[in-house]
Amino acid sequence: MKYLELAGWKINSCDDGPGIRTVLFLQGCSLKCPGCHNEKIQEREGGYLMDLNQVYTEIIKKCHNKRLTISGGEPLEQWDSLKELLICLKKDGFDLCVYTGWQYEQVPHELFELLNYLKVGNYIQSMRDENIHYVGSSNQKMYCRTKQGDWEIMNLMDNV
């Protein structure tokens, strides 16, 4: 049985990817970016473990519109279990977004097949910009899958 270490949930978020989304926060992040707004969930073993079946059941209960963002902490530090969960959610028609502090080139290739949106880049406090949608600092990028299946960088300044 595989497990994920969870930190918590946010329901009806408009800040964590396009549309109204449910956000699942995973516990643990080794990046420890200065000024991180999720500093309290950086330490591993500070959250609670749930097996993947339990996590899936909670997502079904909480995420009625099937728009889910998985953030952290650093979700990709729990990649093996995260991948299994994403495969199940994708099969069930979820609109999936992952927030990672990793750079685009570091992201496992399999992840791109499972997502609709991907936020990449570590938070840099000196580059903080409150006028950009969905990210905290201007070095971070949000990618979306096109109808053709390609990936493109989103314009995060629209309608600001």
Side-chain angles (χ1 to χ4, degrees), residues 5 16 23 36 38 42 48 53-54 57 60-61 65-66 82 93-94 97 105 112 144 156 158 160:
E5 186 177 1
D16 300 285
V23 185
C36 173
N38 288 343
Q42 289 178 348
Y48 55 99
N53 290 331
Q54 291 174 304
T57 299
I60 296 300
K61 285 182 195 174
N65 68 359
K66 291 193 169 188
L82 176 62
F94 274 77
C97 176
E105 300 77 20
F112 291 99
C144 68
L156 302 180
D158 284 345
V160 175

Side-chain angles (χ1 to χ4, degrees), residues 56 60 66 86-96:
Y56 180 83
I60 296 300
K66 291 193 169 188
L86 290 171
I87 289 169
C88 292
L89 294 168
K90 177 77 171 177
K91 285 180 185 173
D92 283 344
F94 274 77
D95 179 293
L96 298 168

